[in-house]
Amino acid sequence: MIEQYIRDVHDFPKDGIVFKDITPLLQDPEGLNRSILGLAEAVDPDSYDVVCGIESRGFIFGTALAHHLGKGFIPIRKPGKLPWKTASETYELEYGTDTIEIHVDAVESGGRVLMVDDLLATGGTMEAGLKLVRRIGAVPVACCFVIELSFLNGRKLLGDVPAHSLMTV
Ligand code: AMP
């Protein structure tokens, strides 16, 4: 159970939001270990070749998971951060839009990718991540999250890609 390590911070970053703070989880050796082992068990590691994480908290869990399994890690980043040729995807937020990018040669064609982020809310971020991975010719096999806000029904945006969460609110 990882619930005990997640701190609810009310009205952050703005009024009305209950922010799920993962820093108590990260700073506790048992909590960090449980979360990485949980992600490793959620999806058969033989079903994917590389782990892809979305900036920025997806980097923390995704990189640790990849290292734990002896796999490589692919970062999906905010615009203007990746130095090489990129594919980019813009998606809707509650107010305005956001964009994420991936290196066009990050995964070889047909490569099987496990997608990782810390939290599934509306699903817009991961939906854009799935589009990016497909755009560069790779195959997203599953999505993993530490936390899922199920009342926002983000799974509906992930199509037929299975989603796994260590903790559901
Ligand atoms: P969404 O695109 O709505 O699924 O939002 C997912 C992204 O926003 C993830 O990268 C999360 O880190 C972040 N996020 C959204 N809502 C929260 C929340 N209540 N607490 C912490 N992070 C959140």
Side-chain angles (χ1 to χ4, degrees), residues 37-80:
L37 294 182
L39 293 171
E41 287 168 6
V43 181
D44 177 4
D46 290 336
S47 71
Y48 56 94
D49 305 306
V50 293
V51 177
C52 179
I54 302 181
E55 188 167 0
S56 58
R57 280 160 282 166
F59 292 178
I60 300 169
F61 295 103
T63 309
L65 175 63
H67 179 71
H68 175 71
L69 296 172
K71 297 181 187 286
F73 176 78
I74 311 295
I76 286 182
R77 297 212 61 181
K78 294 180 176 150

Short mmCIF file of all heavy atoms in Angstrom, two decimals, residues 37-80:
data_model
loop_
_atom_site.label_atom_id
_atom_site.label_comp_id
_atom_site.label_asym_id
_atom_site.label_seq_id
_atom_site.Cartn_x
_atom_site.Cartn_y
_atom_site.Cartn_z
N LEU A 37 8.80 -1.42 -7.38
CA LEU A 37 8.46 -2.84 -7.51
C LEU A 37 7.02 -3.01 -7.99
O LEU A 37 6.72 -3.89 -8.80
CB LEU A 37 8.66 -3.58 -6.18
CG LEU A 37 10.10 -3.69 -5.67
CD1 LEU A 37 10.13 -4.48 -4.36
CD2 LEU A 37 11.01 -4.33 -6.71
N GLY A 38 6.13 -2.14 -7.51
CA GLY A 38 4.74 -2.20 -7.94
C GLY A 38 4.60 -1.93 -9.44
O GLY A 38 3.85 -2.63 -10.13
N LEU A 39 5.32 -0.94 -9.93
CA LEU A 39 5.27 -0.65 -11.37
C LEU A 39 5.87 -1.81 -12.17
O LEU A 39 5.37 -2.16 -13.24
CB LEU A 39 6.03 0.65 -11.67
CG LEU A 39 5.41 1.93 -11.10
CD1 LEU A 39 6.35 3.11 -11.27
CD2 LEU A 39 4.07 2.23 -11.76
N ALA A 40 6.92 -2.41 -11.63
CA ALA A 40 7.57 -3.53 -12.34
C ALA A 40 6.64 -4.73 -12.43
O ALA A 40 6.67 -5.48 -13.41
CB ALA A 40 8.87 -3.90 -11.63
N GLU A 41 5.79 -4.90 -11.42
CA GLU A 41 4.87 -6.04 -11.41
C GLU A 41 3.59 -5.78 -12.18
O GLU A 41 2.87 -6.71 -12.56
CB GLU A 41 4.50 -6.40 -9.96
CG GLU A 41 5.63 -7.06 -9.21
CD GLU A 41 5.36 -7.15 -7.71
OE1 GLU A 41 4.24 -6.80 -7.28
OE2 GLU A 41 6.28 -7.56 -6.99
N ALA A 42 3.29 -4.51 -12.44
CA ALA A 42 2.00 -4.16 -13.06
C ALA A 42 1.89 -4.66 -14.50
O ALA A 42 0.80 -5.02 -14.95
CB ALA A 42 1.80 -2.65 -13.00
N VAL A 43 3.01 -4.64 -15.20
CA VAL A 43 3.01 -5.05 -16.62
C VAL A 43 4.18 -6.00 -16.82
O VAL A 43 5.30 -5.73 -16.34
CB VAL A 43 3.17 -3.82 -17.55
CG1 VAL A 43 3.14 -4.24 -19.02
CG2 VAL A 43 2.07 -2.79 -17.28
N ASP A 44 3.94 -7.08 -17.54
CA ASP A 44 4.99 -8.07 -17.82
C ASP A 44 6.18 -7.39 -18.51
O ASP A 44 6.04 -6.90 -19.63
CB ASP A 44 4.41 -9.17 -18.71
CG ASP A 44 5.44 -10.21 -19.11
OD1 ASP A 44 6.60 -10.13 -18.62
OD2 ASP A 44 5.09 -11.08 -19.93
N PRO A 45 7.35 -7.37 -17.89
CA PRO A 45 8.50 -6.69 -18.49
C PRO A 45 8.92 -7.26 -19.85
O PRO A 45 9.55 -6.58 -20.64
CB PRO A 45 9.62 -6.88 -17.45
CG PRO A 45 8.91 -7.09 -16.16
CD PRO A 45 7.66 -7.85 -16.53
N ASP A 46 8.55 -8.53 -20.11
CA ASP A 46 8.89 -9.10 -21.42
C ASP A 46 8.02 -8.52 -22.53
O ASP A 46 8.30 -8.73 -23.71
CB ASP A 46 8.70 -10.62 -21.40
CG ASP A 46 9.76 -11.30 -20.55
OD1 ASP A 46 10.85 -10.71 -20.36
OD2 ASP A 46 9.49 -12.42 -20.07
N SER A 47 6.95 -7.79 -22.16
CA SER A 47 6.04 -7.25 -23.18
C SER A 47 6.48 -5.89 -23.72
O SER A 47 5.86 -5.37 -24.63
CB SER A 47 4.61 -7.15 -22.63
OG SER A 47 4.51 -6.11 -21.66
N TYR A 48 7.53 -5.31 -23.15
CA TYR A 48 8.02 -4.03 -23.67
C TYR A 48 9.54 -3.98 -23.67
O TYR A 48 10.21 -4.70 -22.93
CB TYR A 48 7.43 -2.85 -22.89
CG TYR A 48 7.65 -2.85 -21.39
CD1 TYR A 48 8.73 -2.19 -20.83
CD2 TYR A 48 6.77 -3.52 -20.54
CE1 TYR A 48 8.92 -2.18 -19.45
CE2 TYR A 48 6.96 -3.51 -19.17
CZ TYR A 48 8.03 -2.84 -18.63
OH TYR A 48 8.23 -2.84 -17.28
N ASP A 49 10.05 -3.11 -24.56
CA ASP A 49 11.50 -3.00 -24.75
C ASP A 49 12.10 -1.84 -23.96
O ASP A 49 13.21 -1.94 -23.45
CB ASP A 49 11.81 -2.78 -26.25
CG ASP A 49 11.20 -3.87 -27.11
OD1 ASP A 49 11.46 -5.05 -26.84
OD2 ASP A 49 10.45 -3.52 -28.04
N VAL A 50 11.38 -0.71 -23.92
CA VAL A 50 11.90 0.49 -23.25
C VAL A 50 10.79 1.13 -22.42
O VAL A 50 9.61 0.87 -22.61
CB VAL A 50 12.41 1.55 -24.27
CG1 VAL A 50 13.65 1.06 -25.00
CG2 VAL A 50 11.32 1.96 -25.23
N VAL A 51 11.23 1.99 -21.50
CA VAL A 51 10.31 2.74 -20.65
C VAL A 51 10.36 4.20 -21.07
O VAL A 51 11.44 4.76 -21.29
CB VAL A 51 10.71 2.62 -19.16
CG1 VAL A 51 9.77 3.46 -18.29
CG2 VAL A 51 10.70 1.17 -18.73
N CYS A 52 9.19 4.80 -21.20
CA CYS A 52 9.10 6.21 -21.58
C CYS A 52 8.40 6.97 -20.47
O CYS A 52 7.31 6.59 -20.03
CB CYS A 52 8.29 6.31 -22.89
SG CYS A 52 8.08 7.97 -23.47
N GLY A 53 9.01 8.06 -19.98
CA GLY A 53 8.42 8.84 -18.90
C GLY A 53 8.15 10.26 -19.34
O GLY A 53 8.87 10.82 -20.16
N ILE A 54 7.08 10.85 -18.78
CA ILE A 54 6.67 12.20 -19.15
C ILE A 54 7.14 13.20 -18.09
O ILE A 54 6.95 12.98 -16.89
CB ILE A 54 5.14 12.27 -19.34
CG1 ILE A 54 4.71 11.27 -20.42
CG2 ILE A 54 4.71 13.69 -19.70
CD1 ILE A 54 3.22 11.24 -20.71
N GLU A 55 7.74 14.29 -18.57
CA GLU A 55 8.29 15.33 -17.68
C GLU A 55 7.20 15.87 -16.75
O GLU A 55 6.10 16.13 -17.20
CB GLU A 55 8.84 16.48 -18.53
CG GLU A 55 9.59 17.51 -17.72
CD GLU A 55 10.41 18.48 -18.59
OE1 GLU A 55 10.41 18.37 -19.83
OE2 GLU A 55 11.04 19.35 -17.98
N SER A 56 7.53 16.11 -15.50
CA SER A 56 8.82 15.79 -14.94
C SER A 56 8.78 14.62 -13.94
O SER A 56 9.77 13.92 -13.78
CB SER A 56 9.38 17.01 -14.22
OG SER A 56 8.46 17.43 -13.20
N ARG A 57 7.62 14.39 -13.32
CA ARG A 57 7.62 13.32 -12.31
C ARG A 57 7.61 11.94 -12.94
O ARG A 57 7.99 10.95 -12.29
CB ARG A 57 6.47 13.53 -11.33
CG ARG A 57 6.83 14.57 -10.28
CD ARG A 57 5.64 15.14 -9.62
NE ARG A 57 5.01 16.13 -10.48
CZ ARG A 57 3.81 16.61 -10.32
NH1 ARG A 57 3.07 16.20 -9.34
NH2 ARG A 57 3.34 17.51 -11.15
N GLY A 58 7.23 11.86 -14.21
CA GLY A 58 7.36 10.58 -14.92
C GLY A 58 8.80 10.17 -15.09
O GLY A 58 9.11 8.99 -15.27
N PHE A 59 9.72 11.15 -15.05
CA PHE A 59 11.15 10.83 -15.16
C PHE A 59 11.62 10.06 -13.93
O PHE A 59 12.46 9.18 -14.02
CB PHE A 59 11.99 12.10 -15.26
CG PHE A 59 11.83 12.89 -16.53
CD1 PHE A 59 12.53 14.07 -16.70
CD2 PHE A 59 11.02 12.45 -17.55
CE1 PHE A 59 12.40 14.81 -17.86
CE2 PHE A 59 10.88 13.18 -18.72
CZ PHE A 59 11.58 14.37 -18.87
N ILE A 60 11.11 10.46 -12.77
CA ILE A 60 11.59 9.88 -11.51
C ILE A 60 11.26 8.39 -11.48
O ILE A 60 12.13 7.53 -11.28
CB ILE A 60 10.95 10.59 -10.30
CG1 ILE A 60 11.32 12.07 -10.31
CG2 ILE A 60 11.36 9.92 -9.00
CD1 ILE A 60 10.52 12.92 -9.32
N PHE A 61 9.97 8.09 -11.71
CA PHE A 61 9.54 6.70 -11.62
C PHE A 61 9.99 5.90 -12.85
O PHE A 61 10.38 4.74 -12.73
CB PHE A 61 8.02 6.63 -11.45
CG PHE A 61 7.56 7.23 -10.16
CD1 PHE A 61 6.98 8.49 -10.15
CD2 PHE A 61 7.74 6.57 -8.96
CE1 PHE A 61 6.56 9.06 -8.95
CE2 PHE A 61 7.34 7.13 -7.76
CZ PHE A 61 6.75 8.40 -7.76
N GLY A 62 9.92 6.53 -14.00
CA GLY A 62 10.27 5.83 -15.24
C GLY A 62 11.74 5.43 -15.28
O GLY A 62 12.07 4.30 -15.68
N THR A 63 12.61 6.33 -14.88
CA THR A 63 14.04 6.02 -14.93
C THR A 63 14.40 4.94 -13.91
O THR A 63 15.17 4.02 -14.21
CB THR A 63 14.89 7.27 -14.67
OG1 THR A 63 14.45 8.31 -15.53
CG2 THR A 63 16.35 6.99 -14.94
N ALA A 64 13.84 5.07 -12.70
CA ALA A 64 14.12 4.05 -11.68
C ALA A 64 13.62 2.68 -12.12
O ALA A 64 14.29 1.66 -11.92
CB ALA A 64 13.48 4.46 -10.35
N LEU A 65 12.42 2.66 -12.73
CA LEU A 65 11.86 1.39 -13.21
C LEU A 65 12.74 0.80 -14.31
O LEU A 65 13.06 -0.40 -14.29
CB LEU A 65 10.44 1.63 -13.75
CG LEU A 65 9.78 0.43 -14.40
CD1 LEU A 65 9.57 -0.70 -13.40
CD2 LEU A 65 8.44 0.84 -15.03
N ALA A 66 13.13 1.64 -15.27
CA ALA A 66 13.96 1.15 -16.38
C ALA A 66 15.26 0.56 -15.84
O ALA A 66 15.69 -0.53 -16.25
CB ALA A 66 14.24 2.29 -17.36
N HIS A 67 15.88 1.27 -14.91
CA HIS A 67 17.15 0.78 -14.34
C HIS A 67 16.93 -0.54 -13.60
O HIS A 67 17.71 -1.48 -13.75
CB HIS A 67 17.72 1.83 -13.40
CG HIS A 67 18.99 1.40 -12.76
ND1 HIS A 67 20.17 1.29 -13.45
CD2 HIS A 67 19.27 1.01 -11.50
CE1 HIS A 67 21.12 0.87 -12.64
NE2 HIS A 67 20.59 0.69 -11.45
N HIS A 68 15.85 -0.60 -12.84
CA HIS A 68 15.53 -1.82 -12.08
C HIS A 68 15.40 -3.03 -13.00
O HIS A 68 15.80 -4.15 -12.65
CB HIS A 68 14.23 -1.59 -11.30
CG HIS A 68 13.71 -2.79 -10.58
ND1 HIS A 68 14.32 -3.31 -9.46
CD2 HIS A 68 12.63 -3.58 -10.83
CE1 HIS A 68 13.65 -4.37 -9.06
NE2 HIS A 68 12.62 -4.55 -9.87
N LEU A 69 14.84 -2.80 -14.19
CA LEU A 69 14.58 -3.91 -15.12
C LEU A 69 15.69 -4.11 -16.15
O LEU A 69 15.60 -4.98 -17.00
CB LEU A 69 13.25 -3.65 -15.87
CG LEU A 69 12.00 -3.63 -15.00
CD1 LEU A 69 10.79 -3.18 -15.81
CD2 LEU A 69 11.75 -5.01 -14.38
N GLY A 70 16.70 -3.25 -16.10
CA GLY A 70 17.77 -3.36 -17.09
C GLY A 70 17.34 -2.92 -18.47
O GLY A 70 17.80 -3.46 -19.48
N LYS A 71 16.43 -1.94 -18.52
CA LYS A 71 15.97 -1.41 -19.80
C LYS A 71 16.39 0.04 -19.96
O LYS A 71 16.85 0.67 -19.00
CB LYS A 71 14.44 -1.52 -19.90
CG LYS A 71 13.92 -2.95 -19.87
CD LYS A 71 12.42 -3.00 -19.98
CE LYS A 71 11.87 -4.40 -19.77
NZ LYS A 71 12.11 -5.32 -20.89
N GLY A 72 16.21 0.60 -21.16
CA GLY A 72 16.52 2.00 -21.40
C GLY A 72 15.34 2.90 -21.08
O GLY A 72 14.21 2.43 -20.92
N PHE A 73 15.62 4.19 -21.02
CA PHE A 73 14.60 5.18 -20.67
C PHE A 73 14.53 6.27 -21.74
O PHE A 73 15.56 6.78 -22.18
CB PHE A 73 14.91 5.82 -19.31
CG PHE A 73 13.95 6.92 -18.95
CD1 PHE A 73 12.69 6.62 -18.48
CD2 PHE A 73 14.29 8.25 -19.13
CE1 PHE A 73 11.78 7.63 -18.19
CE2 PHE A 73 13.41 9.27 -18.83
CZ PHE A 73 12.14 8.95 -18.36
N ILE A 74 13.31 6.65 -22.11
CA ILE A 74 13.06 7.70 -23.10
C ILE A 74 12.32 8.84 -22.42
O ILE A 74 11.23 8.63 -21.87
CB ILE A 74 12.14 7.19 -24.25
CG1 ILE A 74 12.62 5.85 -24.80
CG2 ILE A 74 11.98 8.24 -25.33
CD1 ILE A 74 13.94 5.88 -25.46
N PRO A 75 12.86 10.07 -22.47
CA PRO A 75 12.12 11.20 -21.90
C PRO A 75 11.19 11.87 -22.91
O PRO A 75 11.58 12.13 -24.06
CB PRO A 75 13.24 12.17 -21.48
CG PRO A 75 14.35 11.89 -22.44
CD PRO A 75 14.21 10.45 -22.88
N ILE A 76 9.96 12.14 -22.48
CA ILE A 76 9.07 13.06 -23.21
C ILE A 76 9.12 14.37 -22.44
O ILE A 76 8.85 14.39 -21.23
CB ILE A 76 7.63 12.50 -23.29
CG1 ILE A 76 7.58 11.35 -24.29
CG2 ILE A 76 6.65 13.61 -23.68
CD1 ILE A 76 6.20 10.75 -24.49
N ARG A 77 9.47 15.46 -23.16
CA ARG A 77 9.78 16.70 -22.45
C ARG A 77 8.89 17.85 -22.86
O ARG A 77 8.20 17.80 -23.88
CB ARG A 77 11.25 17.09 -22.69
CG ARG A 77 12.23 16.07 -22.14
CD ARG A 77 13.49 16.70 -21.66
NE ARG A 77 13.25 17.66 -20.58
CZ ARG A 77 14.19 18.37 -20.01
NH1 ARG A 77 15.45 18.26 -20.41
NH2 ARG A 77 13.89 19.20 -19.03
N LYS A 78 8.94 18.89 -22.07
CA LYS A 78 8.25 20.13 -22.40
C LYS A 78 8.96 20.80 -23.58
O LYS A 78 10.13 20.49 -23.85
CB LYS A 78 8.18 21.00 -21.15
CG LYS A 78 7.29 20.30 -20.13
CD LYS A 78 7.11 21.03 -18.84
CE LYS A 78 6.11 20.22 -17.99
NZ LYS A 78 6.31 20.36 -16.56
N PRO A 79 8.31 21.72 -24.28
CA PRO A 79 8.87 22.24 -25.53
C PRO A 79 10.20 22.95 -25.34
O PRO A 79 10.42 23.62 -24.34
CB PRO A 79 7.82 23.24 -26.02
CG PRO A 79 6.65 23.10 -25.15
CD PRO A 79 7.00 22.27 -23.97
N GLY A 80 11.07 22.76 -26.34
CA GLY A 80 12.34 23.49 -26.36
C GLY A 80 13.42 22.92 -25.48
O GLY A 80 14.50 23.50 -25.37
#
